[in-house]
Amino acid sequence: MNNDLKIFDELESSVRSYVRGFPTVFKKAKGYKIWDMDGKEYIDFFAGAGALNYGHNDDNMKKKLIEYIMEDGIAHSLDKATDAKGDFLEKFNNVILKPRNMDYKVMFPGPTGTNTVESALKLARKVTGRTNVISFTNGFHGMTIGSLSVTGNQAKREGAGIPLQHVVTMPYDSFVSENLDTMEYLERFLEDNGSGVEIPAAMILETVQGEGGVNAASFEWLQRIEDLCKRWGILLIIDDVQAGIGRTGTFFSFEKAGIKPDIVCLSKSIGGYGLPLALTLIKPEIDIWNPGEHNGTFRGNNMAFVTATESLTYWETDEFEKSIAEKSEKVTQFLTSLIEKYPELQGEVKGRGLMQGISTPVEGLAGEICAMSFKKGLIMETAGPEDQVFKLFPPLTIDNEGLEKGFAIIEECVKSLVATKEAVAAK
Amino acid sequence: MNNDLKIFDELESSVRSYVRGFPTVFKKAKGYKIWDMDGKEYIDFFAGAGALNYGHNDDNMKKKLIEYIMEDGIAHSLDKATDAKGDFLEKFNNVILKPRNMDYKVMFPGPTGTNTVESALKLARKVTGRTNVISFTNGFHGMTIGSLSVTGNQAKREGAGIPLQHVVTMPYDSFVSENLDTMEYLERFLEDNGSGVEIPAAMILETVQGEGGVNAASFEWLQRIEDLCKRWGILLIIDDVQAGIGRTGTFFSFEKAGIKPDIVCLSKSIGGYGLPLALTLIKPEIDIWNPGEHNGTFRGNNMAFVTATESLTYWETDEFEKSIAEKSEKVTQFLTSLIEKYPELQGEVKGRGLMQGISTPVEGLAGEICAMSFKKGLIMETAGPEDQVFKLFPPLTIDNEGLEKGFAIIEECVKSLVATKEAVAAK
Amino acid sequence: MNNDLKIFDELESSVRSYVRGFPTVFKKAKGYKIWDMDGKEYIDFFAGAGALNYGHNDDNMKKKLIEYIMEDGIAHSLDKATDAKGDFLEKFNNVILKPRNMDYKVMFPGPTGTNTVESALKLARKVTGRTNVISFTNGFHGMTIGSLSVTGNQAKREGAGIPLQHVVTMPYDSFVSENLDTMEYLERFLEDNGSGVEIPAAMILETVQGEGGVNAASFEWLQRIEDLCKRWGILLIIDDVQAGIGRTGTFFSFEKAGIKPDIVCLSKSIGGYGLPLALTLIKPEIDIWNPGEHNGTFRGNNMAFVTATESLTYWETDEFEKSIAEKSEKVTQFLTSLIEKYPELQGEVKGRGLMQGISTPVEGLAGEICAMSFKKGLIMETAGPEDQVFKLFPPLTIDNEGLEKGFAIIEECVKSLVATKEAVAAK
Amino acid sequence: MNNDLKIFDELESSVRSYVRGFPTVFKKAKGYKIWDMDGKEYIDFFAGAGALNYGHNDDNMKKKLIEYIMEDGIAHSLDKATDAKGDFLEKFNNVILKPRNMDYKVMFPGPTGTNTVESALKLARKVTGRTNVISFTNGFHGMTIGSLSVTGNQAKREGAGIPLQHVVTMPYDSFVSENLDTMEYLERFLEDNGSGVEIPAAMILETVQGEGGVNAASFEWLQRIEDLCKRWGILLIIDDVQAGIGRTGTFFSFEKAGIKPDIVCLSKSIGGYGLPLALTLIKPEIDIWNPGEHNGTFRGNNMAFVTATESLTYWETDEFEKSIAEKSEKVTQFLTSLIEKYPELQGEVKGRGLMQGISTPVEGLAGEICAMSFKKGLIMETAGPEDQVFKLFPPLTIDNEGLEKGFAIIEECVKSLVATKEAVAAK
């Protein structure tokens, strides 16, 4: 192939999207770097939208994967038992669940984020016998009808082509304003029998909303949510598809909040190498599924089990967490200094861990920063209902050099674009 | 790992299913053979529920896949352009679409069957501005809420935990009885303005219903459906996830019927090697998606593109089709002779191509045949709302020896079980 | 007022309907006659769409009503006890229920047909814990969302502005064709676990469909429906709002079929004098309502109780039934001779009792017959999804003279219109 | 009949409700007094739940009604034109609409509150092409599925037996607390494209919530709602079924707020005499109904037109408004002094006009006050999701003597019950 988008323009549906924002043909990747057909190098502050937390083509995982394929390991087996799957279960239990004192059953839904969310919603409704679910403003949970129902974004919702039902959206932490306590509001709705809102089967939320604008809920807010759920017999589902697997600093994003969700949704980086995989963690007492009650052909993606197992090695000591913390602090400092230096941004630093960004009310600016960054060799995307946030999402394994190169490109773009806007405004 | 299911029993959710019917730990596979940890060999008449039409670990695909990984090819890229994806698009167009005179845009939804179905339903509703969809009795389309709505199976529907809506189920070919023309019924519902059934956005169906009991619609019935859709401005969606990619004898299952669906759903064997991948084919004039209006993290599974591209080589000449036809004929002969030889089965041969089976009204018998076959080294599963069918689903690449070994095991089991039942009845 | 429609044109919503077909201002009525402001007399073959089965302003009821008002009887009392209500309950029990060996509890929903239907649907769902209901093609049950969901007419359904749910429409007797047994079809859907149709809470139907085209179900079909309901634990709701209270020959329209519905909906003529009233009859074992679980301000319309009580006198002997039978026979003879005499009608006689009509496929003809009849002093309306039926709906108390006058007008119009069409066709 | 509830207990469904709270058989009524079969007199602080604002059996209306019946006026005519209907339209326009500078088309849905609400919701969805509607906490709009969807009360909602959809409930004025501005919350939900709440077809609300707990929205809040609706192109529906026809002091309850709703729902007292009638007022520019698109057999209740027309005489001068204001002030003073005198009530005065009450958090107390009042000859009911309010709802035509007798009974009961509770607590 040439570095030419013709074939994509001709044959691919108009639904294609990232190829428009990053218009080149990629060929090779390693760590935090990607190269296109022309050999041009890009720094990756996007990390597969959170599916590449360990960076591209990690050598250890690569080695295990090639060995497995060479030996004619089982590639596909639905949910039959395989050694690859057994090894994963064992290591996931030993390295992740046990040390965190978490007792959960592991379910393998179809290998995508939306599939684990659909399975979680089904189970919560089955366990409680209720149909209603509470979701939160600017939550994003997937594009199939069940997950889309609990997603806030209006444009995405309209894509459903049918009214989305059985869901009530409540205000996320700080949704109305910093001063308004959204929890008081939520409580009134639950306790008042005339509120029109029945006690739901579950609440579903992300601890940091990636697509919704890099909004981080405070740990206190999360604790109050858990408390509310317990008081009313509501199941708490944490969708950790994007915020999990170290993205906010710990394996699960909710560890520091000290909560124990009833159901946890994992996907994206759980496979380690960018291969499709998803898990639904379920407290044993609510694991009341009938065999096959939710299933899917690719629910056992053995190659992903192989790399996923290897990826858990990162979590055997606390070194990895420490390094994420250090890098996160660097990002925070950079972003804070950036909004101070460029008040024209009217910027606000958002997020947590290596999931941070700047929200700017200047129309179109966040998008322009991303577009210019791409030209200068940095891959980064926007978030939020108005694409008002640019989002720094590097691999967790990135080194200082990578981070600083990325920072430099961003600052360069901000500086240049702010100046242009000033000039235009001055005329 | 040992050949021991303990870890699965302890850690995996009760939703696990195939591991119950095939209780061993698999380790290795090649062609139509699988081996477990103890080295026991199994003949595969299951083929990953249709995801392994080319058999396990095909050498050519394996070679390409290892090369790609070795060279640090892009593993994960959402819907950014990559050389692996470009190559696939080109070959798919040249080998599959063009020679069949099919003009379609290719969409990559999330890499599972349910995801392509959800995308098809969304698009049909968007294009027509209608909410209702007509599905057919015993259709199976997936387990997320949108796909589940068009699925007939009651137990699976109940798993939704919410009423499934915006769908009317019509009788599939021969649903009521061989003599009753279900099309007459369907037409009356569409033409009578008092029927309570509005003109739908789409009809969605499988040409051979795999999960629903290996029911094959006649080509005439399919033609009449297409005609009806055209007359009423209804989009026709063919879900070829299981029946496609050669399973019934041709690449698309509907080729011999001579119809041109508006939307085609592909997954399972499209990836070639058992890696997750799904495609939605869309007639250009209805490809009115907004960018990103339906998306998903794993919609670009590059490793699957690599093996998928290689798998299309099978279709460059008509040799493959011919060989499928020969094997299909063998299966038909075997099954026909089987029901003649064992009238106690009260069997009926069902299906088309290498997607055939025997339906038996003897309660539990189909399941017992599969269970006993497994012990004797054959993997085969049941289908139908009452699990009344045992289904022969070998890789399309199986050789005569494999087929005959499988036949022998099946006949052995039928003979033995029929005798047992006789003996019991005689008491 | 003058006989002038100006005030209606100016002030009334465009939703007004009968005033368009019968464009005059009515002032006075007695028996089967109505007079407008100009003193023009009309014969009434419409009977308030079935709400005036005893004709206009029956003298006995009128006397009781005036007495009640003169004595300052309670006009309005919600569902508090009043002597008027108590008297009605007693007489309804003694004259109607007991002699027919019918043991039912009486519920007073809001005083309209749609309200009794909504109450019946709610109760059936509560009793069974199921959400789905089976309705039938061309059924008409009312215009509020619950009732509209079980109504077949597409134009009326579209008025909902939301998708109508929780309902599956099955084919009414002879819907597809005279030869196709719709019951076989319905049974398959219930018995096949892959049919996509769950066992419903209830089936709801009219024994003769008034709005839907004066379609009469055979008694055998009704018996098979009842049998099916019993076998599957489905509640049977008969909507006797229009076909009941003698319209088809017996007090309840289903008496001759020998069935015992679980719930019966009554309204229209139950009040006797045209005053709003509705009843829901409920088998005692399923009368599990909580107090006030369904209610409505006007559920105790005492003036309607007064006239309703008096109207039941008609049913104390079998004279009334006999007279209806005689008149019904006259109508049948007239209609039969009419279609023989005017083959251009391509007419089919439809219906039962004093609820008969002629269906003609000649586009617009039924409507033209009604319009011309009005000019000649007869009030009559069309029915059916294409307004293809003209419907003879005289008061049950009409005398021979009235009937014959009406017949004469109809024949005159048919003759004239058929000739015009012939003449046009001949050009 | 005797004054004996046996016949009701035996024959009436368990859904009966007011007969349980007021267990006697009523026979006669005049003004604000009712008598049972034993001649016991009751003062009426209930007024037919708002359907008897002019008291029982008003002499002028009675006279007109008897004349109409005596002359064989049309009793029932669906929506054909009658002189009774024409007279009503004319006087309603001249006495009510024109002087208030209100330009509305008048629609006659079925003769109940729920029917006008269902028609309003249908029309709003038709006009805007949207499905969603915003309702408010503790709103009450009726018991058919459409109206129930916009009703807050959980027990009533559960009666639906199906999930209630296409509605989002927003907080009514002061729902969360006196200090929390619910409008800020509502605005955020509308303006944020990620809120999960689409712009609705309409907002529907009562200006004073009768069933919901006698909650009065401030005029400022109503103005802000109207403003919000205008800004976002949302239709404003005021359900004035209970609060209208003078109940809060003016003919329409929203007159003093200075707002002009797009649709107004009227029923209950619009008929004047307690006869079933309902109106939907529609701004001319959105009166886009097709003929008959919403209908109902009893949509032309001519006897109610006769009394309704006569009742409008009350509104020809401003005397009636003045007298309501004076009585309202008396009620406020009485209730205010009551909560001061009996702090044990922990009472809060609620409501507006002759629609006031006291909310008390003491469990069961409001109900006990009503029950004891009944024994002492006063009819009064509770309101609110926990029946925590006792509600003074006398006819607007009550005189001072009536009011004071009622007050005396209430105070007597409060005094006695408070003392009992004290005594119990002291033990």
Side-chain angles (χ1 to χ4, degrees), chain A residues 254-309:
Chain A
F254 49 81
E255 292 178 33
K256 286 192 180 155
I259 63 173
K260 289 265 158 72
D262 298 287
I263 304 178
V264 181
C265 297
L266 295 177
S267 183
K268 292 200 186 259
S269 280
I270 187 66
Y273 205 75
L275 299 176
L277 186 64
L279 270 63
T280 311
L281 305 182
I282 302 166
K283 282 197 177 162
E285 59 270 27
I286 60 168
D287 179 32
I288 61 167
W289 287 111
N290 294 327
E293 197 170 0
H294 183 84
N295 61 33
T297 295
F298 294 113
R299 64 194 183 275
N301 186 1
N302 286 287
M303 294 192 198
F305 284 140
V306 170
T307 52
T309 303

Side-chain angles (χ1 to χ4, degrees), chain A residues 157-204:
Chain A
R157 290 176 73 85
E158 277 167 13
I162 50 169
L164 296 170
Q165 316 264 295
H166 308 296
V167 172
V168 172
T169 318
M170 286 288 163
Y172 195 71
D173 193 10
S174 303
F175 173 67
V176 182
S177 73
E178 286 300 329
N179 305 321
L180 198 145
D181 179 1
T182 59
M183 199 63 71
E184 190 186 356
Y185 178 87
L186 176 47
E187 285 195 60
R188 277 293 291 137
F189 263 92
L190 293 180
E191 82 191 8
D192 191 300
N193 279 326
S195 73
V197 174
E198 61 199 292
I199 301 302
M203 296 196 194
I204 182 166

Side-chain angles (χ1 to χ4, degrees), chain B residues 90-153:
Chain B
E90 201 151 21
K91 191 159 178 187
F92 186 71
N93 194 35
N94 289 335
V95 176
I96 304 298
L97 296 181
K98 274 197 202 157
R100 286 164 183 78
N101 197 23
M102 290 170 73
D103 186 15
Y104 286 88
K105 293 282 182 177
V106 181
M107 170 185 182
F108 300 100
T112 66
T114 197
N115 227 308
T116 166
V117 169
E118 294 256 352
S119 71
L121 297 174
K122 276 187 181 179
L123 183 62
R125 284 164 169 147
K126 180 181 168 89
V127 167
T128 59
R130 305 174 200 144
T131 54
N132 195 34
V133 165
I134 283 182
S135 63
F136 290 86
T137 51
N138 284 304
F140 177 84
H141 302 284
M143 296 296 269
T144 53
I145 294 299
S147 305
L148 196 50
S149 298
V150 289
T151 291
N153 187 287

